[in-house]
Amino acid sequence: MYTDVKEDTWSFGGGIGLFLKKIAQPGYFDHLRTLVSSLNRGVNRKVALDHYTQLVGEEADRVLEIWSKQDRVQVFEETSRFVHRVIVRCLMGQDFYENHVDELYDILHHMETDIGHPLNMLLPDWVPHPPSRRLKQHRDRFGRIFQQQLAERRKDPQAWKDSLDYISFTLEDPRTAHLEDWLPSHHTVMMFAAHTSTVASIAWTIIELLRNPEYISEVRKALDAHDMDARHTPALLACIKETGRHYSGVHMFRTTHRPVDLDEGRYTVPPDWIVCISPYLTHHDPEIYHDPQKWLPERWLEHDSGTRNLNNPQEVAFLQFGAGCHRCPGEALAGIIAQGLVSHLLKNYDLALGNDDTSQDFSMLDFSKVGSPWLLGDAYIRLSRREE
Ligand code: HEM
């Protein structure tokens, strides 16, 4: 019921607006639905996803080569840089990537720090204070980067005619072309939506593989058997999906506009409340998942649970990407990014945990980000190239 409630009753835009309102231009959230629905048409086209798969492969090879030359690699931090580069290259395009990728990463970090600041959460918009001033500065800088790059594109429209980046799509599509002024805000929101959980998916999969090395050889064998086609290798997909179950922490918030009766009228949720559900709790319910605290990829390969659809209108028990009317439109891209990095890593490198101290506590989850939890304090890994 929760995942299907309509916007005029319980608002999804209001829910994410609680966190992200101040990083967007005033008025952006009025166009949220139109712009978000363009993701399915623009990003989830086969031709675009195939192209992104190729870009992810290039980025993965590049970044893994760099990691292998370092003494040790901070896994969440460095995966975060990798994911950012991929998101900018695929969604914004090669020009944003070549000219601004590092600056955009700094902007993302500054915004993340400032939106979580207590002054921003507690004070109304009209009260000036340093975090809100900084947010505005970064928002304006993001807007100028857009203006500059789009002006460059206009000088040579032929060069951008067939580009598969999402900005090109929205500028061409009649349903979104008139919304150009809102694109900076849309891409800021997309950077937040796309970043944290994709990083968590990759970094936790790497950590769990290192803690359960028997799966490393199994996944390598499966990748060989499938010609390195990560998108169709069940053993690898099961590892990534199990990470999605175990480390799911997206806050699914709604703000309420109308009263809704629950439990045959025993409770009424009034207007102007905030309601949320917790995928994390659902994913750790022993009535749904046996041994829920264990990372067990084989549960997705077993005949009963693996083949059962746990995300259907009667039983919404797997919520990594949400369900119903706000189900994540970035699921395919997130999958491609995670499958790309992990498969290239396992194929070409041997890996080990890089902490000298073997007693690291992997249960310290950091739920403070907009998305799935990271490991508090991060973890280190070491890479060395495998012999051919
Ligand atoms: C592993 C990575 C990801 C996870 C776990 C994830 C999870 C989710 C979840 C649970 C929701 C529903 C939230 C709710 O109902 O309150 C959602 C929505 C959304 N996600 Fe993702 N996401 C991921 C990656 C991405 C990527 C890569 C993009 C961008 C390409 C993206 C864009 C969005 C957008 C725009 C929505 C809102 C959809 C709507 O309003 O209809 N996500 N995501």
Side-chain angles (χ1 to χ4, degrees):
M1 169 262 164
Y2 183 91
T3 55
D4 279 328
V5 180
K6 296 285 176 257
E7 197 63 15
D8 58 351
T9 306
W10 288 358
S11 166
F12 169 86
I16 59 165
L18 289 172
F19 298 97
L20 300 182
K21 199 171 63 187
K22 290 187 184 170
I23 59 165
Q25 299 142 275
Y28 162 74
F29 283 95
D30 298 340
H31 304 287
L32 184 71
R33 287 271 34 91
T34 315
L35 282 163
V36 163
S37 58
S38 74
L39 271 166
N40 267 327
R41 298 190 306 279
V43 172
N44 289 335
R45 292 172 291 168
K46 183 173 179 316
V47 60
L49 291 176
D50 288 346
H51 176 59
Y52 301 157
T53 306
Q54 190 199 322
L55 298 185
V56 169
E58 285 172 24
E59 281 298 316
D61 282 340
R62 199 195 66 85
V63 81
L64 290 168
E65 174 82 26
I66 296 172
W67 289 5
S68 69
K69 294 194 173 129
Q70 292 170 1
D71 180 31
R72 55 186 197 157
V73 175
Q74 231 177 335
V75 65
F76 281 86
E77 180 65 32
E78 292 305 323
T79 304
S80 160
R81 287 179 191 280
F82 162 75
V83 169
H84 171 76
R85 295 179 73 86
V86 171
I87 297 290
V88 170
R89 206 169 165 194
C90 297
L91 297 189
M92 297 189 194
Q94 193 66 18
D95 48 351
F96 283 81
Y97 174 81
E98 281 169 11
N99 297 307
H100 300 286
V101 75
D102 291 332
E103 186 181 1
L104 289 170
Y105 190 68
D106 289 342
I107 292 178
L108 176 73
H109 268 277
H110 285 299
M111 284 181 159
E112 196 176 50
T113 311
D114 281 329
I115 43 170
H117 195 285
L119 288 177
N120 258 329
M121 303 302 273
L122 297 172
L123 294 177
D125 290 353
W126 52 267
V127 181
H129 51 79
S132 88
R133 257 198 310 274
R134 285 195 299 264
L135 273 180
K136 184 172 177 315
Q137 276 162 8
H138 288 122
R139 202 175 71 199
D140 292 349
R141 175 63 194 142
F142 205 94
R144 285 198 301 279
I145 291 175
F146 259 77
Q147 277 169 0
Q148 182 189 331
Q149 286 311 142
L150 297 193
E152 285 298 317
R153 285 189 188 194
R154 284 202 180 92
K155 290 182 192 161
D156 188 5
Q158 262 327 87
W160 291 95
K161 203 168 68 59
D162 297 321
S163 177
L164 290 165
D165 65 88
Y166 173 50
I167 291 183
S168 293
F169 177 84
T170 33
L171 290 174
E172 289 292 316
D173 185 22
R175 279 171 277 190
T176 47
H178 62 291
L179 297 176
E180 180 181 330
D181 289 349
W182 304 104
L183 286 188
S185 290
H186 186 50
H187 279 267
T188 313
V189 169
M190 284 310 104
M191 287 208 309
F192 276 92
H195 188 85
T196 308
S197 299
T198 311
V199 174
S201 160
I202 297 171
W204 281 118
T205 301
I206 295 174
I207 289 174
E208 287 297 350
L209 285 168
L210 281 165
R211 297 173 76 200
N212 302 276
E214 64 280 13
Y215 291 103
I216 294 185
S217 44
E218 237 174 79
V219 174
R220 276 186 183 141
K221 264 191 254 152
L223 279 167
D224 279 344
H226 287 83
D227 267 348
M228 273 303 285
D229 181 358
R231 287 162 81 178
H232 298 105
T233 301
L236 173 66
L237 300 184
C239 290
I240 295 171
K241 188 163 182 179
E242 177 63 351
T243 299
R245 180 197 67 82
H246 199 299
Y247 294 99
S248 219
V250 174
H251 308 292
M252 295 170 70
F253 280 97
R254 307 287 185 263
T255 49
T256 69
H257 295 314
R258 291 189 194 162
V260 170
D261 287 338
L262 297 178
D263 204 7
E264 295 174 346
R266 292 205 306 138
Y267 305 94
T268 302
V269 182
D272 300 324
W273 278 38
I274 297 168
V275 282
C276 77
I277 55 169
S278 165
Y280 188 86
L281 292 180
T282 305
H283 290 179
H284 290 83
D285 181 345
E287 287 188 14
I288 306 171
Y289 296 99
H290 66 83
D291 297 314
Q293 300 300 340
K294 291 192 184 147
W295 187 79
L296 295 174
E298 59 269 33
R299 71 172 84 244
W300 300 107
L301 300 169
E302 287 160 5
H303 182 67
D304 281 356
S305 53
T307 51
R308 210 170 102 220
N309 175 8
L310 289 168
N311 198 331
N312 63 67
Q314 283 76 42
E315 182 191 34
V316 184
F318 182 67
L319 281 158
Q320 181 188 8
F321 293 100
C325 45
H326 295 289
R327 197 187 159 97
C328 177
E331 178 174 354
L333 179 58
I336 286 171
I337 301 173
Q339 293 147 24
L341 187 80
V342 177
S343 62
H344 283 242
L345 172 66
L346 294 184
K347 175 165 185 271
N348 298 320
Y349 296 89
D350 283 319
L351 55 160
L353 281 169
N355 288 20
D356 298 329
D357 170 12
T358 50
S359 64
Q360 174 150 17
D361 183 355
F362 290 102
S363 68
M364 300 297 284
L365 304 190
D366 175 2
F367 282 100
S368 65
K369 293 178 180 293
V370 183
S372 297
W374 290 12
L375 175 66
L376 211 59
D378 215 325
Y380 288 94
I381 56 168
R382 292 179 210 279
L383 264 60
S384 54
R385 209 163 213 331
R386 294 178 77 205
E387 301 300 322
E388 288 298 320

